[in-house]
Amino acid sequence: MSLKGRCLCRAFRHEFDRLDMLNMHGHCFSCRKAHAAAYTSTASVVREHFRWVAGEEKISAYES
């Protein structure tokens, strides 16, 4: 069984087989600002368990 996800614009889609690390809630200034919320929830997946389905070629990176 794989878990599926996508961004809100639907340009990026991914699947992963399992969560490899515990979920956490970020309360730092950067997390709160990025999500316009009191905290953000995240979970980690080991690269071997992750697959891009669509949009990988559109990804870029920036330093926060």
Side-chain angles (χ1 to χ4, degrees), residues 14-30:
H14 61 275
E15 296 178 346
F16 52 96
D17 299 322
R18 67 181 193 214
L19 295 176
D20 294 299
M21 296 177 206
L22 296 175
N23 296 352
M24 65 177 228
H25 304 293
H27 295 87
C28 73
F29 176 77
S30 295

Side-chain angles (χ1 to χ4, degrees), residues 28-31 33-34 60-64:
C28 73
F29 176 77
S30 295
C31 287
K33 186 175 181 179
S60 61
Y62 67 94
E63 187 173 332
S64 64

